[in-house]
Amino acid sequence: MNKFLFLLSLFTLFQGVFATGNYHQEVLNLVNKERTRHNLTSLHLNNKLNKVAKLKSNDMSKEKYFSHNSKKYGSPFDMMKKEKIKYKSAAENIAKGQKTSQHVFKSWMESKGHRKNILNPRYTEMGVGKDDYQENIWTQVFIGN
């Protein structure tokens, strides 16, 4: 029995380690599952938006702030413009302290404004980023064309 519990613990540990490596897909899957529940179309992951989101999360971590506006990069819309991302509508969700994709998604869904962005029918693409400095700062960016 002890060997079984040890192996189960080891499996759980490895599952957590490997799951955090592909948080982009995990968050997208959680978002699309919720959107499907509300009869909305699924979002597509956009690598340029992932880059913007990662840059923003790392900037917030390094510069010790938590805001939609960066002293270095400006607004999320300024950041998208710099990356030549075209859109008709866009939004950004940020979060801090959540260690897993599931936890940050739950936090966003419990916030009226963040939830509204996730369930906005105008959005068709999404990017997500988490900082590289173990601060657990998340950025989620949406666009619609």
Side-chain angles (χ1 to χ4, degrees):
M1 186 66 159
N2 286 344
K3 190 174 184 179
F4 172 75
L5 291 176
F6 172 76
L7 290 174
L8 181 61
S9 297
L10 197 59
F11 172 75
T12 304
L13 173 69
F14 280 116
Q15 188 178 24
V17 168
F18 291 116
T20 58
N22 195 9
Y23 64 84
H24 301 99
Q25 193 62 49
E26 289 177 356
V27 172
L28 180 70
N29 291 344
L30 292 164
V31 165
N32 284 337
K33 183 176 179 182
E34 189 67 24
R35 287 175 66 89
T36 299
R37 285 186 54 238
H38 292 271
N39 297 316
L40 299 169
T41 59
S42 294
L43 300 180
H44 301 282
L45 208 53
N46 178 311
N47 287 330
K48 283 186 174 184
L49 290 176
N50 284 341
K51 179 182 174 183
V52 166
K54 180 76 159 182
L55 191 63
K56 177 67 174 284
S57 291
N58 279 335
D59 186 54
M60 286 192 285
S61 181
K62 284 177 15 187
E63 299 300 322
K64 306 293 184 215
Y65 73 95
F66 186 71
S67 172
H68 291 286
N69 291 303
S70 162
K71 289 180 184 176
K72 184 174 183 179
Y73 299 111
S75 74
F77 314 108
D78 295 331
M79 294 179 76
M80 287 184 251
K81 184 177 180 181
K82 184 177 180 190
E83 289 298 319
K84 298 177 177 36
I85 297 170
K86 297 182 189 284
Y87 60 88
K88 288 185 181 173
S89 56
E92 178 188 74
N93 288 344
I94 57 176
K96 183 176 181 180
Q98 298 83 356
K99 293 181 180 177
T100 67
S101 300
Q102 294 79 11
H103 189 194
V104 74
F105 178 74
K106 183 177 184 287
S107 295
W108 280 329
M109 289 305 292
E110 290 172 350
S111 161
K112 185 178 179 180
H114 295 117
R115 179 184 177 86
K116 185 177 176 183
N117 288 336
I118 289 169
L119 298 177
N120 189 321
R122 292 180 300 179
Y123 299 139
T124 56
E125 298 177 63
M126 182 197 88
V128 63
K130 183 180 178 188
D131 74 286
D132 291 323
Y133 307 100
Q134 286 72 49
E135 297 286 329
N136 297 311
I137 297 176
W138 299 78
T139 304
Q140 184 180 41
V141 191
F142 304 91
I143 62 168
N145 290 308

